[in-house]
Amino acid sequence: MGATIRDVAREAGVSPATVSRVYNDSAPVREETRKRVLATAKRLRYVPNGTARSLSINKTHVLGFVLPEPHREFFSEIIRGIDETAHQAGYNMLVSSTHNRLENTHAALRVLRGRVDGLIVMSPHHEADLLMESLSPRTPVAFIMTAVGETPYDAFQVDNEGGGYEATRHLLEQGHRRIAIIKGPDDNLDTRERLAGYREALREAGVQADPSWELSGAFTRESGIAAAERLLELDPRPTAVFAMNDYMAFGALGAFQMAGLNVPGDVALVGFDDIMSAQYVNPPLSSIRVSSAELGRRVTQRLLDLVGRGSGLPDDPLRIKMATQLVVRDSSQISASG
Amino acid sequence: MGATIRDVAREAGVSPATVSRVYNDSAPVREETRKRVLATAKRLRYVPNGTARSLSINKTHVLGFVLPEPHREFFSEIIRGIDETAHQAGYNMLVSSTHNRLENTHAALRVLRGRVDGLIVMSPHHEADLLMESLSPRTPVAFIMTAVGETPYDAFQVDNEGGGYEATRHLLEQGHRRIAIIKGPDDNLDTRERLAGYREALREAGVQADPSWELSGAFTRESGIAAAERLLELDPRPTAVFAMNDYMAFGALGAFQMAGLNVPGDVALVGFDDIMSAQYVNPPLSSIRVSSAELGRRVTQRLLDLVGRGSGLPDDPLRIKMATQLVVRDSSQISASG
DNA sequence: TTTACAGATGAAACCGGTTTCATTGCCATT
DNA sequence: AATGGCAATGAAACCGGTTTCATCTGTAAA
């Protein structure tokens, strides 16, 4: 075993209380005593046990973060914002991934209970009220990109509908009328919202939406390829495609070029997320930028506020929508076609 | 306050011990009693306090991960491997970032002490023995990409020297003799090792290394641009460039093209890390692939072994070097030049 | 000189679980 | 009927910190 506070106290000829005071500056300690305690601690290689301390002061200085997968570029940008903000406030981050499985999410929440001062949950496939039973009423929670409905939790979302609208509107403005869309999984909140934006833009422009142009994907490059291949068989073929994320757009781009089509000459393409690679592909991909790091910062800031306030649920739950921004590059501009 | 085990015990008319047994299946409990306890717990919205449990059983089921930044693509691939493996074993991941600051690393290690069952530390700028004083001798530790010297800890590295050698060798084989290199920060372990590989390949080929062709960068796109601009002023100009990571290679690529040079016709280019974007840039970037996720998996597996064994330090510290793989794309093949 | 109060410290309770050990009751065996 | 053994449960100690409260000492104020 490592040395405990009692070992140090005994060896230094003081009480555990005094050792604690030395480590926390929580009360005056005679300079000579302090030195003796620290010397003894060093000799015994004593380091306070964080778990015991947490239990005692009922505070962990840890924020929990439950998300589908930690490594996707988009998520990892959010992590960056969270980490930055949490770190500044002296908090650490306990990350748990769920792979979009409801039971994993429940398990993760239960594991985190009592280990974290606050919780950030990203659950794009499952609604917040399904998770309530695994949430402690005492631990503040903020949701990201999750359907919170009327639940009394803070919610931070990307303005997916606005983004979908912007992307489609941009294609319409380029003169396109036959605009296909490559969707994510149908039960995904982002999918539903971006789709709504797409349809709204079409409706507003007086273009009839055609269900056969709404293809399902899985947010992966492969599913983008598959969707593009199905699009190639349509007659008439769409002249523009809006992919609900950049990975699928990359897949579609490759498939179109493989089939001898010119992008944007034969088919214009817009993605979503504006991940780093978007600017490097050929042609550079137009996309919808989301301030993910900023989202992470804001949600963390809010959570830290709640934690500091000591109240579990906010009096007045937030409903934040982060605006998106259209980034036009060559993949959607006929003028820049080659 | 949330309900505690004693609240549940009192309400259900049993002892805390019995409630504990119900939750842990650690001893037989009469079916009727079990039901009563669970019903009471549900009514009181009782959930066991993880911190208290950890303190009691002296196990947290958490692995700590200390790394420079959580969001870089390369790191996030490692996180993926760690997360995957840890998750399968029922462990969670406590992440702390240091931004390569020694004092942050010390702080992170101290915060994690007693909160984690095992520790993975990535500290490319600072050697392991500088960190020993903040490491508990009881908590197993594995280092990634850190100079461990003779310290008794497990070490997992990328075979940077081999990768640098491979990249340079490839350029030599394409007939290049004037091969420049864009380095990372000079105090970085990866930098030093990759540089050694580069020099070794040159030496072996009988090419005199020229210090003015070894440019310092910072692993960022911007530093790649700056380095390329300096290279453009050299006379004679190098015909090939090895950038120590892909971000810098992207920067250099842009700078070369901006200056009207053809890649690979006028100057061949090889990067390092093979991040996703490498295949999408124009021309696609040759790079050195590192099995980062695999690295994450292996280090985690080893750590879990140590944790399971209950011993702090390994009897026989590992020194693992993960092999790299050259991925040749158009940026370095004259035959494919356009 | 007595009083008052601040500084320094220790004893013990507490945080919320787990676990050992003892006790009780019941059934099977001899 | 006496004995042995197992199932079910509770009391209390324990994990390693923090904190309240009490005590003691020394010095400044009355």
Side-chain angles (χ1 to χ4, degrees):
Chain A
M1 286 289 171
T4 73
I5 200 170
R6 286 171 231 270
D7 298 330
V8 175
R10 185 174 0 88
E11 289 285 310
V14 298
S15 72
T18 296
V19 178
S20 174
R21 288 190 265 257
V22 167
Y23 272 82
N24 298 296
D25 262 332
S26 51
V29 173
R30 202 145 43 99
E31 188 51 30
E32 182 214 314
T33 312
R34 145 176 276 107
K35 276 192 188 140
R36 187 152 36 92
V37 166
L38 288 176
T40 311
K42 184 157 196 176
R43 181 161 57 80
L44 300 185
R45 297 206 62 183
Y46 166 72
V47 177
N49 179 312
T51 302
R53 179 156 210 278
S54 290
L55 176 60
S56 195
I57 66 179
N58 198 27
K59 214 143 196 341
T60 63
H61 279 266
V62 171
L63 295 184
F65 185 23
V66 175
L67 82 174
E69 298 160 41
H71 62 279
R72 288 230 189 134
E73 180 167 345
F74 173 69
F75 296 152
S76 102
E77 269 294 291
I78 296 184
I79 290 188
R80 170 181 167 191
I82 294 177
D83 177 72
E84 219 176 276
T85 311
H87 194 262
Q88 273 171 20
Y91 272 74
N92 277 82
M93 202 174 39
L94 192 46
V95 180
S96 195
S97 58
T98 64
H99 303 276
N100 286 314
R101 305 283 300 277
L102 183 59
E103 73 248 39
N104 288 353
T105 310
H106 276 291
L109 292 175
R110 280 194 291 269
V111 169
L112 263 37
R113 294 273 293 256
R115 286 183 199 287
V116 298
D117 292 344
L119 214 42
I120 299 173
V121 180
M122 193 188 311
S123 168
H125 282 74
H126 304 285
E127 286 151 38
D129 50 9
L130 293 178
L131 302 173
M132 287 189 71
E133 63 179 272
S134 292
L135 293 171
S136 156
R138 297 291 306 170
T139 306
V141 185
F143 281 94
I144 297 182
M145 298 197 282
T146 304
V148 291
E150 298 296 308
T151 55
Y153 302 112
D154 290 328
F156 291 75
Q157 328 244 173
V158 167
D159 183 6
N160 283 303
E161 183 163 349
Y165 177 89
E166 263 190 299
T168 312
R169 181 86 212 125
H170 165 64
L171 292 170
L172 287 162
E173 280 166 3
Q174 301 288 317
H176 297 284
R177 284 297 173 274
R178 301 204 301 276
I179 304 175
I181 184 168
I182 305 180
K183 301 181 292 181
D186 286 316
D187 60 347
N188 183 289
L189 179 62
D190 297 344
T191 297
R192 300 198 302 260
E193 294 180 342
R194 290 172 196 178
L195 183 62
Y198 161 82
R199 287 180 178 163
E200 168 63 12
L202 289 187
R203 196 195 54 70
E204 190 183 284
V207 174
Q208 179 68 38
D210 181 338
S212 66
W213 288 356
E214 296 179 357
L215 306 191
S216 286
F219 286 143
T220 63
R221 178 175 154 78
E222 290 68 32
S223 68
I225 296 176
E229 282 165 354
R230 276 173 284 151
L231 283 175
L232 287 169
E233 292 166 2
L234 293 183
D235 184 20
R237 212 170 50 205
T239 63
V241 175
F242 165 38
M244 279 200 187
N245 80 352
D246 291 342
Y247 293 109
M248 295 194 297
F250 293 160
L253 177 60
F256 289 144
Q257 291 175 334
M258 193 76 83
L261 294 191
N262 175 285
V263 176
D266 298 319
V267 52
L269 191 57
V270 176
F272 203 113
D273 287 346
D274 193 28
I275 67 177
M276 200 192 64
S277 308
Q279 55 189 299
Y280 298 131
V281 295
N282 184 24
L285 180 71
S286 298
S287 191
I288 300 291
R289 175 174 302 167
V290 178
S291 320
S292 342
E294 176 64 18
L295 174 61
R297 278 191 289 268
R298 289 189 61 180
V299 68
T300 309
Q301 198 53 64
R302 165 68 171 182
L303 196 55
L304 288 172
D305 282 357
L306 288 181
V307 169
R309 208 176 303 166
S311 57
L313 297 175
D315 340 314
D316 188 20
L318 293 179
R319 291 290 183 268
I320 303 272
K321 266 203 194 315
M322 304 283 295
T324 59
Q325 188 195 343
L326 171 69
V327 180
V328 178
R329 300 201 180 86
D330 294 351
S331 73
S332 65
Q333 287 202 117
I334 302 214
S335 60
S337 134
Chain B
M1 289 287 173
T4 73
I5 200 171
R6 285 171 231 270
D7 298 331
V8 175
R10 185 175 357 90
E11 289 285 309
V14 298
S15 73
T18 296
V19 178
S20 174
R21 288 191 264 257
V22 167
Y23 272 83
N24 297 297
D25 261 332
S26 51
V29 173
R30 203 146 40 100
E31 188 51 30
E32 182 214 313
T33 311
R34 147 177 273 106
K35 276 191 187 142
R36 187 151 36 91
V37 166
L38 288 176
T40 311
K42 185 157 196 174
R43 181 160 57 81
L44 300 185
R45 297 207 62 183
Y46 167 72
V47 176
N49 179 312
T51 301
R53 178 154 211 278
S54 290
L55 177 58
S56 195
I57 66 179
N58 199 26
K59 215 144 195 342
T60 63
H61 278 265
V62 172
L63 296 184
F65 185 24
V66 174
L67 83 175
E69 297 160 41
H71 62 280
R72 288 230 189 131
E73 180 168 344
F74 173 68
F75 296 152
S76 102
E77 268 296 290
I78 296 184
I79 290 188
R80 170 181 168 191
I82 295 177
D83 177 72
E84 221 175 274
T85 311
H87 193 261
Q88 273 170 21
Y91 272 74
N92 277 84
M93 203 175 37
L94 192 47
V95 180
S96 195
S97 58
T98 65
H99 303 274
N100 287 313
R101 305 284 300 275
L102 183 59
E103 73 248 40
N104 288 353
T105 310
H106 276 290
L109 293 176
R110 280 194 291 268
V111 169
L112 264 37
R113 294 273 293 257
R115 287 182 199 288
V116 298
D117 293 344
L119 213 42
I120 298 173
V121 179
M122 193 188 312
S123 167
H125 281 74
H126 304 286
E127 287 151 36
D129 51 8
L130 292 177
L131 303 173
M132 287 189 71
E133 62 180 273
S134 292
L135 292 172
S136 157
R138 296 293 306 171
T139 307
V141 184
F143 281 93
I144 297 182
M145 297 198 281
T146 304
V148 291
E150 297 296 308
T151 55
Y153 302 112
D154 290 328
F156 291 74
Q157 327 244 173
V158 167
D159 183 6
N160 283 303
E161 184 164 347
Y165 177 88
E166 264 190 298
T168 312
R169 181 87 212 126
H170 165 64
L171 292 170
L172 287 162
E173 279 166 4
Q174 300 290 315
H176 296 283
R177 284 298 172 273
R178 300 203 303 275
I179 303 176
I181 185 168
I182 306 179
K183 300 182 291 181
D186 286 315
D187 60 346
N188 183 289
L189 179 62
D190 297 344
T191 297
R192 300 199 303 260
E193 294 180 343
R194 291 172 195 178
L195 183 62
Y198 160 82
R199 288 180 177 163
E200 168 63 13
L202 290 187
R203 197 195 54 70
E204 190 183 283
V207 173
Q208 178 68 39
D210 181 339
S212 65
W213 288 356
E214 296 179 358
L215 305 191
S216 286
F219 286 143
T220 63
R221 179 174 155 77
E222 289 67 31
S223 67
I225 296 175
E229 282 166 353
R230 275 174 285 151
L231 283 175
L232 287 170
E233 291 167 2
L234 293 183
D235 185 19
R237 214 170 47 204
T239 63
V241 175
F242 166 38
M244 279 200 187
N245 79 352
D246 290 343
Y247 294 108
M248 295 195 298
F250 293 160
L253 178 61
F256 288 145
Q257 291 175 335
M258 193 76 83
L261 294 190
N262 176 286
V263 176
D266 298 319
V267 53
L269 191 57
V270 176
F272 204 111
D273 287 347
D274 192 28
I275 67 176
M276 200 191 64
S277 309
Q279 56 187 300
Y280 298 131
V281 295
N282 185 24
L285 180 71
S286 299
S287 191
I288 300 291
R289 176 175 300 168
V290 178
S291 320
S292 344
E294 176 63 18
L295 174 60
R297 278 191 290 268
R298 289 189 60 179
V299 68
T300 309
Q301 198 53 64
R302 166 69 171 180
L303 196 55
L304 289 171
D305 283 356
L306 288 181
V307 169
R309 207 175 305 168
S311 57
L313 296 175
D315 339 316
D316 188 20
L318 292 179
R319 291 290 182 270
I320 303 271
K321 267 204 195 311
M322 303 283 295
T324 58
Q325 187 195 344
L326 171 69
V327 180
V328 178
R329 300 202 181 86
D330 293 351
S331 73
S332 65
Q333 288 201 116
I334 302 215
S335 61
S337 134

